[in-house]
Every structure is written in C-alpha cells, then in structure tokens.
Amino acid sequence: MTELVSGRDVLKQARQLYGHYRELVTPREQKVAIIRFTPAATDPPEWQVRLEASRVSAEQKVKAFEHLGFKADHVILPPGVGRAGFAGVLDHYSQDPATRSIIVQFPPPGNLRPLVERMDPAKDIDALLQGRSPYPACATAEGIYRVTEPFAADKPSIAVVGSNGFVGQGVVRLLRENGHDPITLDYGDDLRLVKAADIVISVTGNPGILGPDHIQPHHRVVIDSGFVPQADGSVLGDIRPEAAGIPQNITPVPGGIGPVEMATLMERVVRQEVDPNVAPWKVTAGPFLDRPTFAATAASTATTATASTGPLSLAGAARLRGGGFVAASSAAPTAPPVVPRQPAADQPQLGGGRTR
C-alpha cells in the first residue's frame, strides 16, 4: 500500500515549532510583502490557471507569516499593470525598513520579469534573484530536497523531471551540493527514463505528465510538485491519479509540497529575523525497500502466487506493492512522452505554496 508523505503534517510541525516567536515578532511591527498579478478576462486560459495557482499560493503565505506575528502586505496588481507601477511597488518595499522580506509570486508577465531584479537582495527570502539571494534555492526547491533527504541516505538514483525550470534548477543544485548525481529530464527527453530511478521528483506543473508507464512499484518515493487548479474546484498534479497508488511513498496533491513550502518560509523568516539557531522542521521517511530487497521480495511473492493460483498471464501480471498487488498496465506508449516546452524564465512555481 502506498504511504502518503503529508506536507500538512510538516506545516503543523512548523506552526508548533515557530508559533511562540509571535510574542517577539508582533511588537516589532515587521512586514512581509507578497506581490502577485491578476489576469484579464481575455487572457489565455493557461495564463489564467497559472495566476489562479499564484493566488492560492499568496493567500497561504499570508496565513503562514501572520501566524508568526508578521504583518503580511498582500499586494494584488491589476491586469495590464505597467513597468512603472510594478517598479514603484518593488522600490517602495525594498526601501521600507519595516519590510523584512519580499516575495513576487511567479509567473510575472514576461515584460515585467526583468524588473524583479530591482528587489533588495537582502529581502529576497524566496531566492528569486538566485545568485544574489541569501538563499541557494527557492523555498519550494529546499522543501522538496528536505522531503527527499530521509529517503536518500544511501545515495540512490534520483530523477528530476522539469529540471530546467526555476524550481527544478534549485532542486538539482541542492541535490548536487549534497553528493547526489540526479538524472535530469526536461523538454525533449524520454520521460520513461524515470523508471530506472529509485526516487522521482516532478516539478513541471503539467497535469498528469507522469502515469503508470513511468511510475514504478520499486520507486521508494515520488514527489509531486504540480498544482494546477481546475474549473470544477479540483486540483491536478504532475502524477496521474491512476499512478498515485503505484510507488512505495508519494506526496499527495493537495496536501504535499505546498504546505512544505510554507513551513520552509516560516523557518527562514524566523531564522533571519528572530533566532539564527531555530530548530528546523523534519520529515521522517515512511517504510520503503531498496531496489534489491524489493526485487527479491517481489520475486518470492510472485512465486508463491503462481504456486497458489497457477501461472499469471503477461498482460495480467500483478506488481508487488507493500505486501499487496496492483494490476500492471498492459498499455504501451506510442511515442516517448516528453515535457512540453516551457521556458525556464517563465516556469511558474506550481509546486509551491498552495493548499495541498
């Protein structure tokens, strides 16, 4: 049975760890600015979906910072805001001594993206300025890495899908800095290569891009950082629902990486403004088998099943899943599935900061 790696449990832990700092923060009247954009009714549906995800993310950040006693200025810029308007907002908060951190929700309109560089680097709590930021990666990427870490102590094979995007680059950077050599996959790559990995991290924001032809029972954890709101109020992740019960562990959508990002931002702002030695939140790995043990257990169970029930047909063969079986898919892809084209500079942080 697939175990869920709950981001909501991580966020609950963070609220308990850091909530008492509110008594120190509130009297200081310090602020965090969260800036987001709104779509016009005539904008393409894909853009409207991205900005809807941005809205949910921003509202969750407001709750997280206010829980710590910070005033959260939620700045909502209107459709068609010009360069001067956006620059003015950035300059105001960069120069305001009461504003301790600034977050610009991604994606900004393409013509406004370069203006993000005007932000005071010291206030860039989400690593939007990358090399100029105090942090090596955005909070989503750090959260993903920290969820991965307890499953990866033996340096297993890790595949990162969407590795060229903003979040993906951060995940790859943190993995490499900590001794891992990830398989990096993006536009034009055959995503079936993830089958060879022990851990799969998907940060594309393309709903259902990975399915049963990619996700395998031996995968010790699958981290789904997708978050795409639908018209009916539901949310889709990068992993198709029919594949979510295949791996040994998985982060759910909703309820996975979004709350983890909130916990990371809370920890960062407390460490930055109140307590440099604040305790970090932690994830305990759920039960999993490494590849050799999994293969041996699967072979033993298959032998037992064959002896009890007779030979299984190839198309109907069952895969071992945590002591039970999940029917194997007999469908084969007609062409190598690839990540749709999405320039890195405009890739939304669909894995971060939403209610999950």
Side-chain angles (χ1 to χ4, degrees):
M1 180 177 180
T2 299
E3 297 288 336
L4 298 182
V5 184
S6 173
R8 292 187 176 126
D9 286 349
V10 171
L11 182 55
K12 180 180 179 181
Q13 177 190 154
R15 290 171 67 90
Q16 293 172 343
L17 280 172
Y18 314 134
H20 68 278
Y21 290 105
R22 181 182 182 90
E23 296 179 2
L24 298 175
V25 172
T26 301
R28 300 179 183 181
E29 299 185 344
Q30 295 177 326
K31 295 189 293 186
V32 176
I34 303 159
I35 305 165
R36 69 175 176 91
F37 303 87
T38 48
T42 54
D43 282 340
E46 179 181 307
W47 182 251
Q48 295 194 39
V49 166
R50 293 186 184 186
L51 294 192
E52 173 61 14
S54 172
R55 178 192 67 78
V56 177
S57 172
E59 291 177 353
Q60 292 303 308
K61 290 182 174 100
V62 168
K63 292 178 182 178
F65 291 122
E66 288 185 343
H67 179 75
L68 300 174
F70 291 90
K71 178 183 178 184
D73 276 8
H74 185 183
V75 182
I76 304 171
L77 298 178
V81 61
R83 291 173 60 86
F86 181 40
V89 170
L90 285 175
D91 291 349
H92 167 72
Y93 286 110
S94 291
Q95 296 162 15
D96 176 23
T99 301
R100 309 306 299 169
S101 299
I102 302 170
I103 297 175
V104 177
Q105 291 292 113
F106 267 42
N111 65 315
L112 302 182
R113 175 63 180 88
L115 295 176
V116 175
E117 298 295 324
R118 299 173 68 101
M119 184 194 311
D120 179 354
K123 299 182 180 185
D124 181 18
I125 197 172
D126 208 18
L128 299 181
L129 304 181
Q130 297 185 328
R132 297 169 57 215
S133 169
Y135 302 94
C138 68
T140 304
E142 181 186 338
I144 289 170
Y145 170 74
R146 289 169 64 178
V147 171
T148 304
E149 191 175 29
F151 292 92
D154 57 340
K155 296 296 186 288
S157 174
I158 303 174
V160 180
V161 182
S163 59
N164 291 342
F166 176 68
V167 176
Q169 289 179 47
V171 172
V172 170
R173 182 181 306 114
L174 292 174
L175 287 170
R176 287 175 174 162
E177 287 177 355
N178 288 276
H180 300 279
D181 184 19
I183 302 166
T184 56
L185 300 167
D186 212 285
Y187 176 76
D189 295 325
D190 184 350
L191 300 189
R192 288 173 296 185
L193 293 173
V194 304
K195 293 194 291 186
D198 297 298
I199 293 173
V200 178
I201 299 170
S202 188
V203 292
T204 73
N206 290 286
I209 195 169
L210 298 179
D213 292 315
H214 313 99
I215 305 304
Q216 299 295 300
H218 72 257
H219 287 147
R220 58 180 67 175
V221 65
V222 172
I223 296 179
D224 185 351
S225 186
F227 187 91
V228 182
Q230 302 299 296
D232 63 0
S234 63
V235 177
L236 296 178
D238 285 5
I239 311 302
R240 293 203 291 275
E242 60 267 31
I246 294 176
Q248 299 182 64
N249 295 272
I250 193 169
T251 59
V253 178
I257 295 302
V260 168
E261 185 202 11
M262 297 300 101
T264 304
L265 288 170
M266 292 172 75
E267 181 185 314
R268 283 183 177 186
V269 76
V270 169
R271 179 174 289 115
Q272 174 181 297
E273 301 298 330
V274 189
D275 182 2
N277 300 312
V278 65
W281 57 263
K282 295 181 179 180
V283 169
T284 301
F288 68 87
L289 301 177
D290 61 22
R291 188 90 64 93
T293 305
F294 186 92
T297 305
S300 174
T301 305
T303 299
T304 301
T306 301
S308 301
T309 64
L312 298 175
S313 68
L314 179 62
R319 300 175 186 174
L320 176 71
R321 268 301 305 120
F325 291 92
V326 173
S329 170
S330 61
T334 57
V338 298
V339 180
R341 184 181 297 277
Q342 192 164 333
D346 293 331
Q347 180 159 338
Q349 297 180 55
L350 294 177
R354 270 100 25 205
T355 305
R356 289 169 172 259

